[in-house]
């Protein structure tokens, strides 16, 4: 299926929420927002060739986008929260329910915008079969970070360093104590 179809359906459900609110049906508006978010994430899953036939798979696909830093983690929280909204709306006062739905509509709108931007940033994603046929399609690895100070080095290694030495350059003569060889154990 085409990601553009799911993005279109997502915008349709997002745009139907205000009409439901105007009619006084907050529960139906909350359901519309859940469907809007679901279609947006389905568009992303289809685009990046991920599974999309359950909420668990959609959450995993969206988590992959967060892990790849294509979208912010807040959008994953929005996707989780939008499914709780219909139950929360039923138990809330009408004023609170209206505020909750309006706030969630803004969040879902930002989710849709972020997914649309991520898809536009990488329009052609090769399938696994294409990657196996032509390994040149694999993306280039990210360059290694340039480490210039002892603090950056110790952070990369997961070790502690005093703040006094943190900004010293790696080749600092006074800090050789941080790079000495282990003392050999002498036995008789």
């Amino acid at each position: 299926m085409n990601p553009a179809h799911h993005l279109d359906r997502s915008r349709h459900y997002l745009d139907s929420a205000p009409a439901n609110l105007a009619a006084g049906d907050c529960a139906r508006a909350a359901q519309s927002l859940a469907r809007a978010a679901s279609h947006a994430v389905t568009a992303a899953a289809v685009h990046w060739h991920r599974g999309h036939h359950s909420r668990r798979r959609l959450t995993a696909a969206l988590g992959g986008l967060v892990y790849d830093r294509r979208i912010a983690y807040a959008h994953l929280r929005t996707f989780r929260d939008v499914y709780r909204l219909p139950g929360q709306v039923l138990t809330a006062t009408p004023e609170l329910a209206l505020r909750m739905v309006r706030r969630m509509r803004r969040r879902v709108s930002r989710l849709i915008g972020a997914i649309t931007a991520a898809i536009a940033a990488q329009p052609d994603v090769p399938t696994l079969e294409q990657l196996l046929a032509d390994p040149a399609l694999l993306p280039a690895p990210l360059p290694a970070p340039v480490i210039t100070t002892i603090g950056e080095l110790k952070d990369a290694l997961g070790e502690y360093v005093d703040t006094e030495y943190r900004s010293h350059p790696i080749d600092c003569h006074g800090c050789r104590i941080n790079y000495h060889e282990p003392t050999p154990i002498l036995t008789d």
Side-chain angles (χ1 to χ4, degrees):
M1 194 144 304
N2 189 359
H5 163 78
H6 289 289
L7 287 175
D8 183 53
R9 297 309 301 164
S10 178
R11 289 185 196 100
H12 167 77
Y13 285 115
L14 182 70
D15 293 339
S16 69
N20 292 328
L21 286 177
D25 195 355
C26 287
R28 188 173 174 109
Q31 286 292 341
S32 293
L33 293 177
R35 292 190 72 176
S38 177
H39 273 287
V41 176
T42 301
V46 168
H47 182 74
W48 274 282
H49 312 292
R50 303 286 305 260
H52 60 277
H53 292 293
S54 68
R55 190 184 315 168
R56 181 184 58 83
R57 287 184 177 180
L58 290 176
T59 304
L62 192 60
L65 292 178
V66 171
Y67 180 79
D68 292 341
R69 295 188 177 133
R70 296 184 191 281
I71 63 170
Y73 177 74
H75 300 303
L76 183 59
R77 282 195 331 243
T78 297
F79 187 67
R80 290 177 182 159
D81 291 346
V82 77
Y83 284 105
R84 294 186 199 120
L85 185 65
Q88 292 171 343
V89 164
L90 292 176
T91 59
T93 64
E95 296 82 19
L96 179 61
L98 186 63
R99 278 189 307 182
M100 289 168 46
V101 170
R102 284 182 179 161
R103 180 172 183 263
M104 188 58 70
R105 185 179 186 285
R106 287 190 301 270
R107 290 175 63 190
V108 170
S109 178
R110 286 192 293 266
L111 169 69
I112 294 168
I115 288 175
T116 302
I119 289 173
Q122 188 182 11
D124 297 320
V125 178
T127 63
L128 179 60
E129 291 81 18
Q130 291 170 334
L131 289 174
L132 291 174
D134 186 10
L137 295 174
L138 285 171
L142 296 174
V146 178
I147 297 176
T148 57
T149 66
I150 290 177
E152 292 171 348
L153 177 65
K154 293 291 188 170
D155 289 341
L157 295 174
E159 297 177 4
Y160 171 78
V161 65
D162 288 332
T163 55
E164 179 182 343
Y165 301 108
R166 180 167 284 287
S167 62
H168 286 218
I170 288 179
D171 59 351
C172 179
H173 184 67
C175 297
R176 297 267 183 222
I177 192 168
N178 291 325
Y179 295 98
H180 69 276
E181 292 292 324
T183 307
I185 300 175
L186 301 175
T187 59
D188 290 327

